[in-house]
Amino acid sequence: MSEVKFRELRNTPPMVVNFAKAVLRATVKPGSNPTLPDVGLRLNDVSLDEKHLAAYRKVCGFAADGKLPVTYPHMHAFPLHMALILTDGFPFPAMGLVHVRNSITQYRPIAEREQLNVKCFLGNLQKVDKGYEFSIFTSVSTGGERVWESESVNFFRSGGGNSSKKKNASKPQPATDTVEWKVPGDIGRRYGAVSGDRNPIHLYPLSAKLFGFKRQIAHGMWSKARCLAELQYQLPENAFTVDVQFKLPMFVPATVKFENKPANGGSDFRLLAKDGIKPHLAGQISPAK
């Protein structure tokens, strides 16, 4: 991949404009040899919006403690993600993408009042079984210090393709902590109002059916945030990484089970359907490398 050419933004890209562009680019096709544009976006001096942070904490379950929730910087990054995948030359339609994995590394707790510099870029495009995967990388700094970064892996289904590497499935070990949650049917609308991610598959049964789902599904990043809110007071103060793999869609309303157990200096957690078997999310917390 060539050197990334970053473009400075004065303001956060409006999500209404982003979704309008997504509709206009709905017929984009990758062709036989897709490539990613060598572009990145940078947004500096992002300040705290107290009402937005409070709304985010409420919908995800975080308590106010003077620090940003570990998933909160994604709120600043997501409009940039959308703008990147709507860039001229991007080979896939935004509406056809599925968020399959997400990794966040927090190098230290971020205080609420710190001004943040956010930059995002594309990379790691590869052909996998039945389509393509690519990453959106995000780095957040303050005062020249890197404090947070993430990798969001997205999948575009196109049929055929090379088989992706199969991982040996390990037998799940018993959890040391299990909690049952009731997830309301409007969680997608509530999280969408905060995050700006109003993808129709998350909103209403009818809008979800237009995209092949039997009813609306919860956002993957809401599921990750809700899990970490449950673990808020167990998260390390030192640098750590949270990896999650998004599994089966969570159709809402739903009853789910959250499981957590210590593992390798951190913890493993899962979000399961009511039956305790079907997985919605699997995650690992570990010291940052």
Side-chain angles (χ1 to χ4, degrees), residues 227 231 242 244 258-260 267-270 281-285:
C227 291
L231 300 172
V242 187
V244 299
F258 172 76
E259 295 185 348
N260 176 55
S267 62
D268 288 349
F269 58 94
R270 297 189 299 162
L281 176 152
Q284 306 82 38
I285 299 173

Side-chain angles (χ1 to χ4, degrees), residues 44-122:
N44 292 330
D45 301 325
V46 178
S47 300
L48 174 70
D49 182 328
E50 292 183 0
K51 291 183 178 179
H52 185 266
L53 177 57
Y56 182 83
R57 282 176 169 148
K58 184 176 181 180
V59 75
C60 296
F62 288 100
D65 62 357
K67 305 168 188 173
L68 296 185
V70 63
T71 47
Y72 187 72
H74 181 78
M75 294 295 95
H76 297 309
F78 181 70
L80 276 65
H81 289 194
M82 283 291 293
L84 278 175
I85 64 179
L86 295 169
T87 302
D88 290 342
F90 184 78
F92 311 115
M95 292 295 188
L97 300 177
V98 179
H99 195 181
V100 291
R101 297 188 299 280
N102 178 269
S103 177
I104 289 173
T105 297
Q106 180 173 279
Y107 292 97
R108 65 160 174 80
I110 305 172
E112 292 179 354
R113 296 291 178 181
E114 293 188 78
Q115 284 195 322
L116 305 178
N117 301 321
V118 184
K119 66 178 183 180
C120 305
F121 62 96
L122 302 163

Side-chain angles (χ1 to χ4, degrees), residues 103-108 146-149 236-243 264-266 284-289:
S103 177
I104 289 173
T105 297
Q106 180 173 279
Y107 292 97
R108 65 160 174 80
R146 181 184 60 173
V147 292
W148 189 98
E149 63 184 12
E237 285 290 315
N238 296 327
F240 68 95
T241 297
V242 187
D243 294 306
N264 302 319
Q284 306 82 38
I285 299 173
S286 58
K289 295 179 181 179

Side-chain angles (χ1 to χ4, degrees), residues 103-204:
S103 177
I104 289 173
T105 297
Q106 180 173 279
Y107 292 97
R108 65 160 174 80
I110 305 172
E112 292 179 354
R113 296 291 178 181
E114 293 188 78
Q115 284 195 322
L116 305 178
N117 301 321
V118 184
K119 66 178 183 180
C120 305
F121 62 96
L122 302 163
N124 288 355
L125 174 64
Q126 60 179 329
K127 196 161 190 174
V128 296
D129 189 36
K130 297 183 180 179
Y132 295 91
E133 284 186 356
F134 70 93
S135 296
I136 306 178
F137 296 96
T138 301
S139 179
V140 176
S141 62
T142 179
E145 176 192 9
R146 181 184 60 173
V147 292
W148 189 98
E149 63 184 12
S150 73
E151 179 182 3
S152 294
V153 181
N154 293 272
F155 170 74
F156 175 77
R157 183 180 298 276
S158 65
N162 299 321
S163 296
S164 56
K165 295 180 180 179
K166 295 183 179 180
K167 298 181 179 180
N168 294 325
S170 57
K171 184 178 180 180
Q173 298 299 311
T176 58
D177 190 20
T178 301
V179 182
E180 188 170 276
W181 302 333
K182 300 288 185 181
V183 183
D186 67 349
I187 194 65
R189 299 192 292 278
R190 290 169 54 202
Y191 182 79
V194 175
S195 67
D197 184 356
R198 292 184 172 90
N199 189 319
I201 64 175
H202 301 301
L203 304 181
Y204 297 97

